[in-house]
Amino acid sequence: MASLERITHEEADEPVTKPFINYLLSEVIVWYIVLALLIVLVSLFPARLEAKADPLRTPPHVKPEWYFLFLYQVLKLVPRTVGVLAPVVVVVVLFFLPFIDRNPSIQPRRRPIAIGLGILVLVVSIVLTIWGQLS
């Protein structure tokens, strides 16, 4: 008994841990096994989809979310080039609008053009959104 070492209380309570690289290696192995299983399942049971998509024709049942309906309706009404370039031009104008509009007044009575254009854009957007939802 004298040859046995005494174990202190701190040494007995230490948890047994694995080095991080061993833990990482086991995780990578499991992920590769799951990936291989997924590849085998996809190869054996491929998904059956609809007919191949035609990028020049939108199916009639497809509608975007409500916040894009006005743009979708504009695309239906104007030629393709105008429908693609017009939103880009609007975003660029909105970006530079603080530099273009130099009116220091913030009272609505002194800004009839800005208020009128804002109301016009809002009304047109709402009308096109409702029209796009109903069509």
Side-chain angles (χ1 to χ4, degrees), residues 83-95:
V84 172
L85 292 179
V88 174
V89 170
V90 169
V91 168
V92 169
V93 168
L94 284 175
F95 181 77

Side-chain angles (χ1 to χ4, degrees), residues 4-16:
L4 294 176
E5 294 180 335
R6 298 190 124 224
I7 299 175
T8 62
H9 182 65
E10 292 83 22
E11 291 174 348
D13 289 338
E14 286 184 18
V16 178

Side-chain angles (χ1 to χ4, degrees), residues 30-93:
V30 169
W31 277 107
Y32 274 118
I33 290 172
V34 170
L35 180 64
L37 180 65
L38 185 63
I39 289 172
V40 167
L41 286 175
V42 166
S43 299
L44 293 176
F45 307 106
R48 303 290 180 226
L49 302 175
E50 295 179 8
K52 191 172 180 180
D54 182 9
L56 300 177
R57 188 179 153 272
T58 302
H61 64 279
V62 174
K63 281 190 181 177
E65 295 294 330
W66 66 269
Y67 42 85
F68 288 126
L69 273 174
F70 72 97
L71 286 174
Y72 187 70
Q73 195 64 28
V74 167
L75 284 173
K76 289 186 200 176
L77 298 174
V78 298
R80 183 180 305 166
T81 306
V82 175
V84 172
L85 292 179
V88 174
V89 170
V90 169
V91 168
V92 169
V93 168

Side-chain angles (χ1 to χ4, degrees), residues 92-112:
V92 169
V93 168
L94 284 175
F95 181 77
F96 288 110
L97 189 61
F99 303 107
I100 297 169
D101 184 18
R102 305 298 293 183
N103 191 347
S105 177
I106 59 171
Q107 295 178 355
R109 288 185 185 171
R110 294 188 179 178
R111 306 199 57 159

